[in-house]
Amino acid sequence: MVSSDQLPKNYDFAVVEERWRKSWRDEDHYFDTNSKKPQFVIDTPPPYPTGNFHIGNALNWCYIDFFARYKRMKGYNVMFPQGWDCHGLPTEVKVEELNHITKNDVSREEFRRMCRELTEKNIEQMRLTLRRMAFSTDWSNEYITMTPKYYSKTQLSFLRMLESGYIYQDEHPVNYCTRCETAIAFAEVSYEDRETQLNFFDFDGVEIATTRPELLVACVAVAVHPADDRYHALNGKSLTVPLFGHAVPVVQDEAVDPKFGSGAVMICTFGDKQDVHWWKQHNLPLRKAIDRKGLMTAISGKYTGLSTTECRKAILADMKAAGILKKQEKLEQRVGTCWRCKTPIEILSGRQWFIRIKQQEIRDAAHQIKWYPEHMLLRMENWIDQMEWDWCISRQRIFATPIPVWFCKKCGDMVVPDEKDLPCDPTLTKPKHPCPKCGGNEFTGEEDVLDTWMDSSISVLNVTGWDGTGKPKIFPAQIRPQGHDIIRTWAFYSILRSVALTGSKPWDHILVNGMVLGEDGFKMSKSRGNVIVPEELVGRYGADALRQWAATGAALGSDIMFSWNDVIAASRFQTKMWNIAKFALIQLEKEGIDENAPVTALADRWLLARLSDTVGTVSARMENYEFDEALKAIREFAWDVLADNYIELAKGRLYTEGASRKSACRVLYAAYDALCRMLAPFIPYFAEECYSYLNKGSVHKQPWVAFTFDDPVARAEGDLLVKVVAEVRKYKHDNGLALNAPLGKVTVYAPHTANDDGDTARTLNADVHWRTDKAHLDKVVSGIDFNRAVVGPTFRKDAGAFMEAVKALPAEELAHPPKTIKMNGKDLTVPENAFTPKYSYVEEGAKVDVITVGDVIVTIATK
Ligand SMILES: [Zn+2]
Ligand SMILES: [Zn+2]
């Protein structure tokens, strides 16, 4: 043991945390590929390297670190890798901003270089935060999706799925952001309520209502319900599009709502998903009115080159001038917008790459995974059921994994690289062989790049060592931890890709955490000013306090509201724990540690029974990832059971040498050791600091606590002991006595006598007797309380005489007051509620006060 002289008075988290951070070694957290231990592989989320590890990330990573550390202590070979999901638009936008350029001002290669440089800088910054928060990351399994090593795997997975028919290329309408100038997937469309205008106009004699008049040039048909009598005459006819003059057919379709507007709607390519559906259904032509920059195309005549908003204004003005605009109404509308920039989505048709969504396959795999909490599976199922379109994986951007494909200039055939030649950028290199079909030597490299989710959805394949040949040896991983906001993206795509590439589910478990809300209950945002930065929190209260907040803030899967009070409570718990630790260490130093010393006193047996219960609860909670319940149980044991009750009871014995001190020290050590180990996953710095005083190595290399102590009698009797002491202490307090004031004789009448080894007597500073017989108490009247509000007004100047007369009554008449009383020779009526007798108890001839604890009676001799 380390000498207690070296114990600092106060726990200084800043000093302690830095000291341990410097001495811990990365190698201790490496996954051992040769280990015989059971494996526990974590498919850690690769965060986007913005440079700031935000509080939501922190929550997510705390959960991961809790179970990573727990599993290591339970004897697992744990892999807790750290990835970085680099590619994507946010970095491109940042690079444009920082360098005051647009992506087209420099070469693609130069632009990529700038993106890589910024990303590297940001990753370095975020690594520091991860270390500061004491996450037990396996740095030997770090991966960065923008590196050739990683994206060659993304490309390999692309080629494999192209080969097996999952991936295809097609001209098809897709969601498109004209500001970001790229296709996006359905999962990246967010919806917003906006107010718009519904415009009613005359369409060649038919009234049409539209919110998007700028699409008039893209009108390819007018649809009516087949049973709508108003339009029977139009069947098979065509109509002329106003302002533009091209003819469009009238088609009948059950999906038209006859009650909306006039019951006739125009079909444009494309206003919404329904348009796409009708367009396919009725085999209509394609009129592209909006280009990839969001401007009107050449088919728009005099409106060519206008933005959609400008065009809308111009068309409405022209309709008005032509006298065909009949009325305008306000309309509440849900608009699909780009998740990134909030620009309303256009549906544009173009050549894109897609992954086939095989719903049943994904559903089956999702059902083979155990979901924590269980109801998150429902969210996945709902999303799978909603899928109508395949996943569009091509993007018209630059900083991303290139699609490894060329097209032969002569015959147009697709040529792919050999797998050994990956990674490849087809815009910079040529195929190594001539075109297999026509022998041509001229090729065009694919300029489209892959959706970022194509990189991150193989994270689990990457960490398990996938090389393109089926299932890796350590696949599937044991767990995927992630937020509920990316179930429809990351979880969905990962399952899809694992099934397509290995035929198997990606993980045994998925653990879904909630979002962190600001102190005001709203989503954190700069504009609300409710953003909490982990670094600030760690600077003020330490990483361990933040980790405690993460553990106790909410049940798994629930959103968690940030609260400084929780962080302060966490830091208070550490102060309390430090005081407990100092006390225990001083006692252990005096007595030495003897783990085999006989446990004699009731309080000692009781503490071990309660510790055994706590270890059982905490272990069960940890197995179910219920960190809030686990830490709550530890805190309760440490604070209530150990500090407030046990130590108060055993203090007297600990100050006296002898066998009973040995017994107390043995259980104190057991509790100390178990608390360090149970706290290790939650507050690794604090636990390491406390454990280090025992001189037994790092707490993080100890096995998880396996302590059991079965003694139901000690638990029941000890509970009583603790309650009696608490009640008598309360009695002292209520009677204005100091807690250590001497009390005289205290008798406890309980069903069993407790062999408390004198603990109760010492703690209460009293002569305590435990007895099993019945208490023989005589109730005697010891005084009278007069109700002056009744006595005064009734008797006025005779009040004093009345009270004297009452005091002279025999005791039994005081308990049941007579109707009249003799005063000055007259019988006077005794008013109701004029007085109540005061009682006290007499035991064996001495006056006592009485307290009851359930069925147990405690008497305290009064002087
Ligand atoms: Zn956008
Ligand atoms: Zn060819």
Side-chain angles (χ1 to χ4, degrees), residues 3 11 61 136 199 333 362-363 386 452 456 522 596 649 676 678 683 711 750 752 803:
S3 162
Y11 182 78
W61 262 251
S136 56
N199 308 285
Q333 198 187 26
I362 302 169
R363 203 177 283 122
Q386 274 180 44
T452 311
S456 59
F522 288 99
N596 297 311
L649 265 175
C676 286
M678 288 191 289
I683 45 176
D711 190 342
H752 313 277
M803 292 194 281

Side-chain angles (χ1 to χ4, degrees), residues 89 177-181 184 338-343 345:
L89 197 59
C177 173
T178 54
R179 198 213 65 93
C180 300
E181 289 180 51
I184 62 172
C338 169
W339 68 279
R340 170 77 203 152
C341 71
K342 301 289 166 222
T343 304
I345 289 304

Side-chain angles (χ1 to χ4, degrees), residues 167-174 279-280 292 348-354 356 390 392 394 414 448:
I167 290 182
Y168 64 93
Q169 203 194 7
D170 195 13
E171 164 95 24
H172 193 277
V174 292
W279 172 70
K280 281 193 206 165
R292 292 183 166 194
L348 301 188
S349 185
R351 188 188 62 91
Q352 302 284 356
W353 292 88
F354 296 90
R356 261 177 242 288
D390 284 341
C392 175
S394 44
M414 187 197 305
D448 280 6

